Each structure stands twice: as C-alpha cells, then as structure tokens.
Amino acid sequence: MKRLLLLLFSCVLFLQPYCQAQPLTSEESPVTLSTATGDIKGRLLLPANATTCPVVLLIAGSGPTDMDGNNPMMKNNSLKFLAEGLAQKGIASLRFDKRGIAGSAAAGKEESKLRFEDYVNDVTGWIDFLAKDKRFTGITVAGHSEGSLIGMLACQSRPKVKSFISIAGAGSPAYEIIEKQVAAQMMPESIRKEVADINRSLRNGKEVAQVPAYLQALFRPSVQPYLISWYKYNPQTVIASLKMPVLILQGKNDIQVKEEDAMLLKKASPKAELVLIDKMNHVLKDCESTAPQQQMAVYNNPSLPVNAALMNATVRFVNNNK
C-alpha cells in the first residue's frame, strides 16, 4: 500500500543540459518573490550578452521539488539543465523553489491550510515580476505534469503572457487520475470503491472524517482541504479558456502521463499545437522501453541528455511567440 501511495504522488523530472558539452556563458542571479507567508526564492538565467530576449517561467510538477527539479529522494537537476539549454539558444528563464521547499521553506503553510490556489497565485506573482522587466520581449509559461494545470490557471488572469507550454500535463481531473492509478495497481474492488467514495465527497467540498488506516497517507485529514481545492479544476476546461498560443508536448514512452492525456487537451483546445515525442518518457529523456526496470534506470541516470525534439520544439515555439 505504501508503494501504491508513493506512485500516486510521484511526479518527478529528469533531464540533462542541452548542448552539455558547450561552456555556459549565461548569467544567473537570485531573485525573490515576497508573499504574505514568506519569501519564495528563484533563479533568473539570462543568455550571454543579451539586451532583450524572450523568457520562460518554468513550473515543476508535484511533490517536494526544488527550483532545480530535485527532491529529497533523487537529484537530477532537471529544471536547472532545461534552463541552461534555453540560455544556449538565447532564451532567458526563471525557475523557483515551491513554497515550503528548499530556499522557499519559510513561505510554507501548515498542510491543513495549503490550497492549490496558493501555487497558482505564486505563479501569477512571478509573471507580474517578469512583466516589469523591460529586457523581456515576451513571457512564456511552461508547466510540467501538475505544473501544467497550475500554469494554465495562472495564464487565465495574465494577458501579458504570450504563450503557454504544457509538458506531460494531465488531461483529466486529479480525482480521475488517482482512481485510474488505483485500478491499474490491481487493488481489490473494495479499496477502489473506498477511494471513489472518498473522492466523491471531496469533489462535493465535504471532508471525510473516517478514513481507513491504509488510505491515511493519501486522504489524511490535513490534506483533504488541499485535495478539495485541487479537484475543482478540469484541465480540459481550463486549457480551452486560454487565449494565447498553446503547445502541448507529450512523450510516447511516458508511463505516468499517457498520450491520451495530450489528446484530451488537444481536443479541448483545437488550435493548440500538439507534439508527440518518440521514446521520451515522463522525465523528459529517451527510454527505449516502457518496462518499469528500464524506466527507473533512466529516471536515475542524470548523465542522459534532455530529449532533443523536446528542446527544439520548445525553442521554436518560444521564438515564434516572443
């Protein structure tokens, strides 16, 4: 059961610097976003000798992920390397520690007080931060996995964002994903029904007082308010509301988010560009197989480069909308 719950909330990225062999000539500096509950720390990476350029705001997926894409269990420097790859192509980026994580630990809230909208508001704050900087010709918001939905919601209220990129973003509401993952783990019908019943209550805004011990990690009382706030949003409805150009990127060998998720997003936003990438898995690297053993070998190998097609599509899209 513990393994199941870890799988349900695992959403990590792994990639390596694009053009890794080239020396970095970009300029990186620390930046801070002040919020009511504390400061959120980020890093602004600028291309070498650039007076003006487009900028990408990078949003990590779920879990205790820091600005570089790392978590306590695994170090991959995914977002750091992605930012460096963009800088090599003349594109600036801003990445940040999520509230409550690493340098932004002071901005954390008690779990019972945290809401999905807190993450959305943080992103809108960073968008406003970038919008004031005259060096940037245009802002692109790029969210990976859970960060995709967060980014979509932030873009709804920020017309200065010129484009949005969903990278391995879910196409269904969170409660549907959890229930599908439970079913995929071959859990007994009784447990699947319990999960569905709890989700039904949370979707209606009602917390559940009695949760079985084996589901506490997923539905403990202190996390239920957050789940209620998260369950309100359907990625298909949100992406359909966006007015700016949209790029949907999805790896064909992703075992966490499927091609069908990308197709759902595309159907909801017909004008969006969809790029399905051969061999790329959820951690944005090439993997020859969807077999768990091979996937995990890729997840844990920071020497592998970022998928070239992913980087090329991102650079092209950003430059077309700067």
Side-chain angles (χ1 to χ4, degrees):
M1 182 57 65
K2 289 183 179 179
R3 181 183 178 187
L4 162 66
L5 299 176
L6 286 174
L7 285 172
L8 292 175
F9 280 97
S10 64
C11 187
V12 292
L13 316 175
F14 296 85
L15 51 147
Q16 193 69 4
Y18 186 74
C19 301
Q20 183 180 5
Q22 299 181 18
L24 289 177
T25 56
S26 49
E27 176 186 346
E28 186 172 76
S29 57
V31 289
T32 300
L33 179 69
S34 297
T35 76
T37 59
D39 290 344
I40 297 177
K41 302 295 184 177
R43 304 287 293 184
L44 184 64
L45 184 60
L46 301 173
N49 304 317
T51 55
T52 60
C53 60
V55 63
V56 177
L57 177 60
L58 299 172
I59 310 169
S62 63
T65 308
D66 67 15
M67 69 173 71
D68 291 335
N70 301 325
N71 63 61
M73 294 181 292
M74 299 177 187
K75 181 177 181 180
N76 54 79
N77 282 332
S78 57
L79 298 183
K80 179 177 184 291
F81 293 151
L82 179 55
E84 290 172 352
L86 291 172
Q88 295 280 354
K89 296 299 182 179
I91 299 170
S93 64
L94 191 154
R95 63 191 193 277
F96 60 95
D97 289 335
K98 290 160 51 173
R99 60 170 54 244
I101 303 300
S104 303
K109 291 184 173 183
E110 294 178 28
E111 185 174 70
S112 62
K113 296 180 180 178
L114 184 66
R115 301 294 183 271
F116 195 77
E117 291 82 7
D118 289 322
Y119 295 128
V120 176
N121 291 337
D122 293 340
V123 171
T124 59
W126 283 119
I127 292 171
D128 293 343
F129 175 90
L130 292 172
K132 295 175 183 177
D133 195 323
K134 296 182 179 180
R135 293 174 295 182
F136 301 132
T137 58
I139 301 170
T140 294
V141 173
H144 176 270
S145 202
E146 183 187 67
S148 172
L149 177 57
I150 293 170
M152 290 181 206
L153 289 165
C155 288
Q156 284 182 320
S157 62
R158 291 300 182 271
K160 289 189 177 181
V161 176
K162 289 197 173 181
S163 58
F164 171 74
I165 303 175
S166 172
I167 307 174
S172 301
Y175 58 84
E176 288 188 9
I177 295 171
I178 290 174
E179 290 173 20
K180 287 180 181 178
Q181 290 180 338
V182 169
Q185 291 297 309
M186 305 297 289
M187 290 294 105
E189 177 63 29
S190 59
I191 292 179
R192 293 179 355 219
K193 184 179 185 302
E194 285 177 311
V195 170
D197 289 343
I198 293 171
N199 274 342
R200 187 176 301 107
S201 178
L202 297 178
R203 287 171 56 192
N204 290 326
K206 298 179 181 179
E207 296 181 32
V208 178
Q210 300 297 324
V211 176
Y214 47 83
L215 291 178
Q216 281 289 321
L218 183 59
F219 295 119
R220 58 192 177 277
S222 59
V223 81
Q224 289 186 32
Y226 178 82
L227 293 177
I228 289 173
S229 70
W230 188 18
Y231 285 1
K232 292 187 299 184
Y233 302 109
N234 185 332
Q236 297 168 53
T237 303
V238 180
I239 201 169
S241 72
L242 299 184
K243 306 302 181 184
M244 70 282 293
V246 173
L247 172 63
I248 302 168
L249 299 174
Q250 177 62 46
K252 291 185 177 181
N253 279 1
D254 190 329
I255 62 172
Q256 292 181 240
V257 177
K258 305 295 186 180
E259 286 183 50
E260 65 184 80
D261 287 281
M263 299 305 295
L264 287 171
L265 294 177
K266 171 64 175 176
K267 182 177 180 180
S269 180
K271 293 183 179 180
E273 179 184 356
L274 170 63
V275 179
L276 299 176
I277 302 175
D278 289 334
K279 299 183 181 180
M280 191 177 80
N281 68 2
H282 192 67
V283 298
L284 312 184
K285 295 182 178 184
D286 286 340
C287 186
E288 297 294 332
S289 170
T290 57
Q293 186 174 3
Q294 291 192 35
Q295 288 278 331
M296 289 310 299
V298 173
Y299 272 49
N300 287 284
N301 189 342
S303 68
L304 295 175
V306 63
N307 179 278
L310 170 75
M311 180 61 75
N312 291 337
T314 300
V315 170
R316 174 185 52 77
F317 182 75
V318 172
N319 283 329
N320 286 343
N321 294 285
K322 61 182 180 180

